[in-house]
Amino acid sequence: MINVAVFGYGTVGSGAVEVIMENNAVIAKRVGDAITVKSILDLREFPGDKYEDKIVHAVNDIINDPEIAVICETMGGVGAAYKFTKMALEAGKSVVSSNKELVALHGPELIQTAKEHNCSYRFEASVGGGIPIIRPLTDALTAEVILSVCGIVNGTTNYMLTKMDKEGSEFDDVLKEAQAKGYAEADPTADIDGHDAARKIAILSSLVYGKTIVSDDIPTEGIRNISAKDMVYARKMDRKIKLLARYESADDIVYAMVAPFLLTPENPLYSVNDVFNAIKVTGNMLGEAMFYGKGAGKLATASAVVGDVVECAKNIGKHLPCDWVDEVVELKDKPLSQRRFFVRVNASAKEKAAELFDIDFELNADFTDEFAFVTKKMSEKDFEEKKNVLGAEVINNIRMED
């Protein structure tokens, strides 16, 4: 019998307990031994809950229990979660986590701690919810040189952009609806300003490159400035607006970013709608592969957590290696390639914009108070310099993915 504990009995934590207990027979078959949840750490009481007898309030009740071999950290945050995870690893207990913030900030340190104490730190559920992406990158694709990773990794913003596209709704109205449905937090800043996506691409980039890419160093734009008018123009071009998180590298030059992009129907990410996520990986031998599925949700995320539990349970007393060292990578400040830009300016700035930019084509959506166009391919630096000349005359701009 392999005993598991859970830190945090919230949405994902309770889902992990449910997956372990409900799928107990198939999990036992795959591990070669029975698995059960022995303890659940939470400050709250859960009267009437099916597993209330497993609730404990002191972390040492789990850390000092020699029968517990694997712990699911589903607390969130980086305070107690970091402290308790480190304690568990130092006690030789493997920890699996869904906590993207903790992994992005302390991943290599916790991996090293696990190595020193013959246990493992795994975090499949920290990116992409239930989508298997971390194990494919670290295990199945180890023979590849990964050239790029690009994807939709935030379900909240993808849901909002899908609604705005399909219904012509304004940003504020869709945000309220997303909050009412529980897709967006009361404070949605991390999602709509791209910080959540930046943490996730930082984790994936670090795993691919093997060194630490700091999420705060990644140029990040969210969807706060996307409006119903932008959606009208997108439809005129037969494109969709998606918030993409991307990483690319060549000749030891590394670049990462998070920003909205206009995608064509030929792009496999074009059809990823609502709360679904998808991540496209390009290898030097493999070419393109895409991973698609539910990027959030109680049981989808919990399934990824328990997948890591199974791996750790099959390797008790061993360290499952992870090629990610605590050496910070300096990111290139601009992308490696040029691209086109969709731009909207006030009608009064039309002539000035036409003088500044080499325009590929103009767009007419019957908005008489503005002028919209798509530039020819240019560098980010060149675009920024010309955009700064126009200043407040620029209403919005979105990168084109060609």
Side-chain angles (χ1 to χ4, degrees):
M1 173 76 72
I2 297 172
N3 288 295
V4 175
V6 177
F7 288 167
Y9 199 46
T11 301
V12 179
S14 61
V17 173
E18 184 176 342
V19 171
I20 290 171
M21 303 307 280
E22 292 295 322
N23 288 355
N24 197 264
V26 69
I27 291 171
K29 184 177 180 181
R30 288 166 184 169
V31 172
D33 199 351
I35 290 183
T36 192
V37 176
K38 183 177 182 182
S39 301
I40 301 168
L41 177 69
D42 205 290
L43 294 175
R44 300 166 293 177
E45 300 288 351
F46 294 87
D49 187 270
K50 188 175 181 179
Y51 302 108
E52 66 173 313
D53 62 316
K54 300 180 184 294
I55 300 291
V56 300
H57 303 301
V59 67
N60 283 331
D61 289 345
I62 293 172
I63 300 299
N64 296 331
D65 187 338
E67 294 183 350
I68 293 174
V70 184
I71 295 170
C72 305
E73 185 277 298
T74 56
M75 300 172 66
V78 293
Y82 167 72
K83 179 181 177 182
F84 295 172
T85 295
K86 187 117 181 182
M87 290 169 64
L89 294 172
E90 289 173 342
K93 302 177 189 298
S94 290
V95 177
V96 306
S97 178
S98 62
N99 190 338
K100 56 188 169 289
E101 188 177 6
L102 178 61
V103 176
L105 283 173
H106 298 290
E109 175 193 351
L110 296 172
I111 290 166
Q112 181 61 30
T113 301
K115 182 178 181 179
E116 291 169 358
H117 294 86
N118 298 317
C119 55
S120 299
Y121 183 58
R122 307 290 276 185
F123 39 88
E124 179 66 66
S126 65
V127 179
I131 304 172
I133 181 62
I134 289 177
R135 277 196 296 275
L137 284 177
T138 57
D139 297 337
L141 299 179
T142 51
E144 287 288 322
V145 175
I146 303 299
L147 305 175
S148 68
V149 179
C150 179
I152 296 166
V153 295
N154 183 273
T156 299
T157 51
N158 202 45
Y159 169 82
M160 292 174 63
L161 291 172
T162 300
K163 294 286 286 186
M164 291 175 72
D165 173 46
K166 290 181 177 179
E167 300 177 4
S169 306
E170 288 292 355
F171 175 87
D172 289 340
D173 296 329
V174 172
L175 175 57
K176 289 176 183 176
E177 183 178 338
Q179 288 172 319
K181 290 189 173 183
Y183 295 147
E185 301 288 342
D187 179 2
T189 303
D191 291 324
I192 64 176
D193 288 341
H195 304 309
D196 174 82
R199 292 184 188 118
K200 291 172 180 175
I201 197 64
I203 292 169
L204 295 180
S205 302
S206 298
L207 289 169
V208 166
Y209 198 69
K211 298 177 182 178
T212 299
I213 291 169
V214 179
S215 61
D216 287 346
D217 292 344
I218 297 174
T220 301
E221 297 176 21
I223 67 166
R224 195 183 290 268
N225 293 329
I226 304 296
S227 70
K229 285 185 177 180
D230 290 311
M231 294 298 178
V232 172
Y233 285 114
R235 287 191 290 273
K236 285 272 184 183
M237 293 184 281
D238 193 25
R239 291 177 179 252
K240 287 185 179 179
I241 302 170
K242 299 293 183 182
L243 183 69
L244 301 186
R246 60 195 315 150
Y247 155 89
E248 53 190 274
S249 67
D251 301 323
D252 284 329
I253 297 172
V254 179
Y255 181 74
M257 78 177 307
V258 173
F261 281 80
L262 281 153
L263 309 185
T264 66
E266 291 73 33
N267 191 306
L269 299 173
Y270 174 93
S271 300
V272 179
N273 293 319
D274 299 314
V275 296
F276 282 83
N277 283 192
I279 300 165
K280 182 174 63 173
V281 178
T282 304
N284 68 330
M285 298 296 168
L286 169 73
E288 289 186 355
M290 194 165 90
F291 302 84
Y292 169 84
K294 285 188 176 180
K298 175 178 178 176
L299 294 179
T301 306
S303 175
V305 169
V306 179
D308 278 344
V309 169
V310 170
E311 287 301 303
C312 291
K314 289 161 66 176
N315 292 277
I316 299 295
K318 299 178 183 177
H319 174 68
L320 294 169
C322 182
D323 182 24
W324 177 3
V325 299
D326 197 5
E327 179 183 336
V328 174
V329 177
E330 183 177 349
L331 295 177
K332 181 177 172 62
D333 62 350
K334 303 297 177 192
L336 305 178
S337 57
Q338 295 189 335
R339 60 169 54 94
R340 296 188 298 164
F341 294 81
F342 163 65
V343 187
R344 295 166 54 207
V345 301
N346 292 321
S348 58
K350 178 177 179 177
E351 289 186 13
K352 191 173 182 180
E355 291 174 3
L356 281 168
F357 290 97
D358 192 1
I359 294 176
D360 193 9
F361 60 88
E362 299 177 9
L363 285 161
N364 181 10
D366 296 324
F367 301 130
T368 57
D369 58 342
E370 61 182 68
F371 171 57
F373 60 94
V374 172
T375 72
K376 291 188 177 180
K377 284 189 175 182
M378 59 193 304
S379 69
E380 289 268 346
K381 181 180 179 181
D382 193 16
F383 176 77
E384 287 176 11
E385 288 174 352
K386 292 180 177 182
K387 177 185 173 182
N388 289 338
V389 173
L390 290 172
E393 296 286 3
V394 178
I395 300 169
N396 199 14
N397 63 268
I398 305 172
R399 293 164 178 85
M400 307 282 282
E401 182 80 345
D402 292 322

